[in-house]
Amino acid sequence: MSHRPVLLVIAHGSRDPRHAATVHALVRRVRAMRPGLRVETGFLDFNIPSVQGVLESLAAEGVRDVVALPLLLTRAFHAKADIPAVLRDAPRSLRIRQAEVLGPSPLLLTALERRLYEAGLSPADKSSTGVVLASAGSTDPEASAVIAAIAREWRHTGWCAVRPAFASASLPRTEDAVEQLRALGCAKVAVAPYVLAPGFLPDRIARGAARADVLADVLGPAPEVARLLLERYDEARVPVLTVLGA
């Protein structure tokens, strides 16, 4: 048996079947990037297998070490409360380390630009294009502040302007941010969904992008996202991190 901890990717789950399909596509890419690493997927809600079910199966097999990686872009409620609560209820034989959430990271900005170029923009369009960085939104002020900070950072890479927007909980909405960029005089307006998988809120972002020139796809199984999962896994293997369930 390998001495490397099992990587357990913890996804939110959704009634929308596209969500789980996208999560599984991302996990397949992670496995392809690091053959020999065991990668499992568990869902907090709506989909199976559940996180608890995967942890119980791993314990029954005799697995000892697990890195639990939240498939989240910000440290909102799920990362701070839901996931630690599930991990505390894991079988006592497991040593579990909770990895950091994915964002913020330069790799995510690269993935966002990949999606914009795939949707029809080119690097030559940057200086004349305003971008809406459209996230799902959170009632957690820390998460909203992170999105605003990412928008400011991304603006400095050469875009005409970058504005954050939120599909829920916070303002502005995507459609309002599109109009703000039009008013600024940007020749083109593009919407870049800062979300990992399709679902209810990403669909709301898409509707809000109706008057934009370009709508990028969700981040999904972009190679940069898969690389970032492995980066967070490697960071969590450092033994000085807090070990849950020991």
Side-chain angles (χ1 to χ4, degrees):
M1 187 178 293
S2 171
H3 295 294
R4 283 189 291 187
V6 171
L7 170 56
L8 172 59
V9 175
I10 300 179
H12 183 276
S14 171
R15 291 186 179 90
D16 189 322
R18 297 173 299 167
H19 174 90
T22 303
V23 170
H24 291 311
L26 174 59
V27 168
R28 284 195 298 273
R29 178 157 250 164
V30 172
R31 290 187 183 121
M33 281 185 172
R34 192 170 295 182
L37 172 62
R38 182 171 177 182
V39 187
E40 299 289 343
T41 309
F43 295 90
L44 290 173
D45 209 351
F46 302 117
N47 301 104
I48 55 172
S50 68
V51 176
Q52 188 68 26
V54 174
L55 291 170
E56 289 172 0
S57 294
L58 291 173
E61 284 181 40
V63 170
R64 294 298 307 276
D65 292 293
V66 176
V67 168
L69 196 158
L71 198 59
L72 299 168
L73 296 173
T74 59
R75 275 184 50 76
F77 179 79
H78 294 299
K80 295 176 179 178
D82 281 7
I83 292 174
V86 172
L87 298 181
R88 280 194 295 272
D89 288 338
R92 305 300 291 173
S93 61
L94 293 174
R95 291 188 293 258
I96 305 176
R97 300 186 185 119
Q98 182 176 333
E100 284 297 324
V101 296
L102 299 179
S105 166
L107 284 169
L108 291 173
L109 289 182
T110 303
L112 286 165
E113 295 204 359
R114 169 191 291 278
R115 293 298 188 230
L116 284 169
Y117 296 150
E118 288 170 351
L121 290 179
S122 74
D125 294 317
K126 281 187 90 166
S127 62
S128 60
T129 302
V131 180
V132 177
L133 179 68
S135 79
S138 171
T139 54
D140 188 317
E142 178 191 345
S144 299
V146 166
I147 300 300
I150 293 168
R152 287 193 298 272
E153 177 188 347
W154 202 16
R155 161 71 182 84
H156 294 311
T157 66
W159 296 101
C160 173
V162 180
R163 291 284 186 274
F166 306 91
S168 67
S170 305
L171 294 174
R173 294 285 181 258
T174 302
E175 52 269 34
D176 298 324
V178 168
E179 294 309 316
Q180 290 171 13
L181 292 169
R182 291 265 184 239
L184 277 177
C186 298
K188 288 184 179 178
V189 175
V191 173
Y194 190 64
V195 293
L196 286 164
F200 176 73
L201 293 176
D203 282 350
R204 183 181 286 177
I205 289 171
R207 288 193 298 273
R211 297 197 61 211
D213 300 294
V214 172
L215 170 62
D217 199 357
V218 299
L219 293 168
E224 295 85 2
V225 178
R227 198 172 306 130
L228 182 55
L229 262 70
L230 290 170
E231 205 172 89
R232 294 289 183 254
Y233 169 81
D234 291 334
E235 291 164 358
R237 292 176 66 193
V238 179
V240 296
L241 288 187
T242 302
V243 178
L244 299 173

